[in-house]
Amino acid sequence: MNQPPQILPSVSLPKAANRDDTPSDKSGGENVAFCDSIFAKAFQAGASDIHFEPFEQAFRVRIRVDGSLSQIAAGPASDYPQISSRVKILSELDISERRRPQEGRLRLVIDGRSVDYRVSSVPTRFGEKIVLRVVDATGLNSDLTKLGMNAKEAQVMATASEQQYGMCLVTGPTGSGKTTTLYSAINRLNQMERNVTTIEDPVEFNVFGITQVNVRRDLDMDFPQVLRLLLRQDPDVILVGEIRDTETAKTSFQAAMTGHMVLSTLHTNDTVTAIARLRDMGIEPFLITAALKVVVAQRLARRICQHCRAPVNVSAAQLKSLGISPAQAEKASFHRGRGCTKCNGSGCRGRVAIFEMLTLSEKLHDMIFENASVDAIRQQAVKEGMRTLRVSALSKAFQGIITIEEASLFSGRS
């Protein structure tokens, strides 16, 4: 159960007191050292996010490692204003503004390596919650197999994105690695003879050779407006950070049909429901079939630690519950991490993407024209060889890349 940190405030707070005016027992130097230690711990643990969270009597700091949050520090509530101010100063945020959300960027050098963070500050009842997300462009890799695609999937994605025009969509929930996949794809296209542009909210990675534009709604620069402007700048490849409304969807598909390669993301559970979502947004079936080159659905799964990886036996009951036949199990090599210092005893270190990839055959074109149901389209796609998220996850479990328990998280999908 999520329990509050067991820490007493260093200063008793009267009921009517303003917490931001309450003095701290710590010196400024101690708070600076505290923040530095948090950044160092997060870096050493390979954290993707750092959460500074204020509560009534205490604050805590949590980091997200391989998708899971864990607490690494806590302190009395009276210390939090100075700590949050320190983070805001480093992020070039306005420390006098505590009532409005703010966003910023932060670059630190830790153990000789430059680390970039995207910073978000949101006012809460007991102070500002600050979340820092690591933005690491070194994780981008033009070799898509390094992300988790098999050779065939990587070839399909490369072939689709290298065409002169069309649309490539990546779907999945927030935090599933969609932007990393798209940037890895356009890194292949980032060449002298191509004009590559992105529209994002906000820009995730800083990449030389790519024109990157931030959405600014306060200046009437939303996704559709910026896309229309960029179409006058002779683009070859355009990455639209997210298709979230009808206007963005229609403008993106129009661009994809007029000689531009467009890559974007969509929030749907799998590849086939992306077709239904586009239809709901008012995209005509003929535009979907003419422009859409590939739809990729993805999730992130925890990778078994390679330093303490060991084979395990899986019970017949568990195999049956996952729909794995004895013949399939004989060919598999199931593993699990024992836990070591490298993985902090968790048995997992790092994450790998699970992919589902849909390309449109003539039969699927016809079904989309006829407004066939999602289930009918999915059955046809599987019949034509599409590997679902479930199959992809089980394949990685068979190879000993992820545990069978991790693969079972996708067992509800066909």
Side-chain angles (χ1 to χ4, degrees):
M1 186 175 177
N2 197 358
Q3 298 288 347
Q6 297 298 312
I7 292 180
L8 296 175
S10 56
V11 177
S12 298
L13 300 179
K15 290 184 178 179
N18 182 340
R19 174 164 287 106
D20 291 340
D21 297 331
T22 304
S24 169
D25 287 343
K26 287 187 178 179
S27 67
E30 287 177 312
N31 288 314
V32 169
F34 176 84
C35 291
D36 289 347
S37 70
I38 293 297
F39 294 131
K41 288 177 183 177
F43 175 78
Q44 291 162 6
S48 61
D49 302 84
I50 308 173
H51 294 239
F52 290 84
E53 302 172 310
F55 299 100
E56 184 175 15
Q57 298 295 317
F59 76 90
R60 70 182 179 190
V61 182
R62 295 190 292 172
I63 60 175
R64 188 180 296 277
V65 179
D66 298 339
S68 298
L69 282 169
S70 61
Q71 180 175 307
I72 61 168
S78 57
D79 289 345
Y80 190 73
Q82 288 192 42
I83 290 169
S84 62
S85 292
R86 170 63 180 168
V87 178
K88 289 172 71 176
I89 289 170
L90 290 172
S91 309
E92 299 184 354
L93 302 181
D94 184 357
I95 62 171
S96 66
E97 179 57 78
R98 297 181 176 127
R99 297 175 300 172
R100 299 179 185 275
Q102 296 187 68
E103 293 185 351
R105 307 280 288 206
L106 167 61
R107 173 171 291 180
L108 297 174
V109 177
I110 304 174
D111 289 347
R113 178 179 165 186
S114 178
V115 184
D116 291 319
Y117 299 90
R118 190 179 77 206
V119 184
S120 171
S121 171
V122 175
T124 71
R125 184 181 176 190
F126 299 110
E128 295 170 280
K129 173 169 179 174
I130 302 176
V131 177
L132 297 86
R133 166 155 287 191
V134 176
V135 182
D136 187 4
T138 61
L140 304 178
N141 200 315
S142 56
D143 183 357
L144 295 173
T145 61
K146 298 291 178 63
L147 300 179
M149 290 186 184
N150 61 31
K152 182 180 178 181
E153 291 168 338
Q155 184 58 49
V156 169
M157 185 66 180
T159 301
S161 59
E162 288 172 357
Q163 295 187 41
Q164 290 188 340
Y165 72 94
M167 171 78 73
C168 296
L169 282 177
V170 180
T171 75
T174 300
S176 59
K178 300 186 298 296
T179 302
T180 299
T181 296
L182 285 180
Y183 259 96
S184 295
I186 65 172
N187 251 357
R188 296 172 54 89
L189 310 176
N190 184 15
Q191 299 169 6
M192 183 62 71
E193 62 270 19
R194 285 194 181 98
N195 179 14
V196 182
T197 302
T198 75
I199 311 165
E200 301 171 77
D201 183 21
V203 169
E204 291 278 356
F205 305 107
N206 180 25
V207 181
F208 177 80
I210 296 177
T211 301
Q212 299 169 287
V213 181
N214 265 320
V215 166
R216 290 286 305 274
R217 292 180 179 82
D218 57 327
L219 300 177
D220 195 27
M221 290 178 59
D222 55 10
F223 279 109
Q225 180 67 18
V226 176
L227 182 52
R228 293 189 193 99
L229 293 172
L230 291 179
L231 288 174
R232 300 170 191 161
Q233 298 232 325
D234 188 33
D236 297 302
V237 181
I238 306 171
L239 188 156
V240 180
E242 182 183 354
I243 293 177
R244 64 177 70 173
D245 55 65
T246 296
E247 188 179 5
T248 304
K250 290 184 175 180
T251 307
S252 298
F253 270 84
Q254 288 166 2
M257 287 298 296
T258 54
H260 309 91
M261 173 49 62
V262 180
L263 301 94
S264 190
T265 69
L266 198 64
H267 284 285
T268 60
N269 288 328
D270 55 33
T271 56
V272 178
T273 52
I275 305 295
R277 176 72 176 132
L278 291 172
R279 291 193 298 208
D280 291 342
M281 286 181 165
I283 306 300
E284 297 292 339
F286 78 89
L287 272 179
I288 296 175
T289 56
L292 200 56
K293 303 303 181 185
V294 67
V295 186
V296 179
Q298 73 176 77
R299 301 288 190 278
L300 292 178
R302 293 183 299 169
R303 189 190 292 268
I304 297 172
C305 176
Q306 297 302 300
H307 297 277
C308 60
R309 180 173 172 266
V312 294
N313 294 318
V314 179
S315 68
Q318 189 174 8
L319 293 173
K320 184 178 180 180
S321 69
L322 294 172
I324 302 172
S325 69
Q328 291 173 318
E330 286 181 4
K331 301 176 183 177
S333 178
F334 298 112
H335 288 73
R336 183 178 292 115
R338 292 188 299 263
C340 64
T341 56
K342 295 285 186 180
C343 61
N344 199 26
S346 68
C348 296
R349 184 176 173 85
R351 292 193 286 179
V352 62
I354 307 295
F355 292 99
E356 174 181 298
M357 193 166 289
L358 173 69
T359 55
L360 302 185
S361 65
E362 289 299 323
K363 176 63 176 176
L364 289 173
H365 280 185
D366 294 341
M367 294 179 72
I368 293 171
F369 269 119
E370 295 165 2
N371 283 321
S373 69
V374 168
D375 286 340
I377 295 174
R378 182 182 292 108
Q379 289 172 12
Q380 180 62 29
V382 171
K383 183 179 178 181
E384 293 179 5
M386 182 183 78
R387 293 204 329 163
T388 63
L389 288 168
R390 173 183 176 275
V391 172
S392 295
L394 288 175
S395 174
K396 285 185 168 50
F398 287 0
Q399 299 170 52
I401 298 173
I402 65 176
T403 65
I404 193 68
E405 290 79 13
E406 192 78 6
S408 69
L409 298 175
F410 304 90
S411 61
R413 307 203 178 278
S414 58

